[in-house]
Every structure is written in structure tokens, then in C-alpha cells.
Amino acid sequence: MSTMMRIDLLGTSFQIQSDEEPEYLEEILSYYRDRLQEIEETVATRDPLKKSILAALVVTDELFRSRSEGASSEDVGEIEEIAHRLLQSIDEILPEPSP
């Protein structure tokens, strides 16, 4: 089943298409928004790109720490696969940056 979802983050709005359940996508988006909120509360930058990169680094750090704390490689592999598919969907939708 393919799901279309509208994402509104940091003043940007776009739609993605995914094979994941809408509830799961909402959960991921909610989690990411929480990380963005933490970044906005602790970092002075107003640049949305910098905020999103910092939030992505925080989430990646959490993933790596989870790996080292004994999460099964199967779970980590599944998380990486889902994240990769979502990133591909976003890359297909977002326009190329201007030089």
C-alpha cells in the first residue's frame, strides 16, 4: 500500500509517497519535530537548513548509540532501510538547490 503524506517543516511544505503506514510516518515525523524543537531551543541559528542538519545529526547519534547498546542488528537494519527509503522519497520531491 502506498501512502501520500504532506510534510510541513521549517517553513517548507512537500508531499512524500511511502509504503509505510500513515501512523508510523506520523510517529517518525513527530519524533523528528521534537528533535528540531530541541535544536531551536539550544542553538542560535535561524537557518532552517542548519537546524535540519543538526537535528539529523542528533537522530543519527541516537541510532549509533542504540546500536552500541545492544539493539539487534536486524532492528537497526530495518530502521536504516526505512530511513533510506524516506530520504529517497524526500530527495525525489525537493527541487535541486540553487548554486
Side-chain angles (χ1 to χ4, degrees), residues 12-15 49 88-99:
T12 301
S13 182
F14 54 92
Q15 281 192 302
L49 179 59
Q88 280 182 318
S89 295
I90 291 169
D91 283 343
E92 290 170 5
I93 292 168
L94 290 178
E96 290 293 322
S98 302

Side-chain angles (χ1 to χ4, degrees), residues 1-7 14-29 82 85-86 88-90 92-93:
M1 171 179 87
S2 183
T3 300
M4 291 295 292
M5 179 179 190
R6 180 164 208 79
I7 296 177
F14 54 92
Q15 281 192 302
I16 64 168
Q17 183 173 350
S18 175
D19 293 332
E20 301 301 327
E21 294 292 323
E23 298 81 13
Y24 181 69
L25 294 173
E26 284 293 339
E27 186 177 351
I28 290 173
L29 187 55
I82 291 167
R85 287 196 314 256
L86 289 171
Q88 280 182 318
S89 295
I90 291 169
E92 290 170 5
I93 292 168

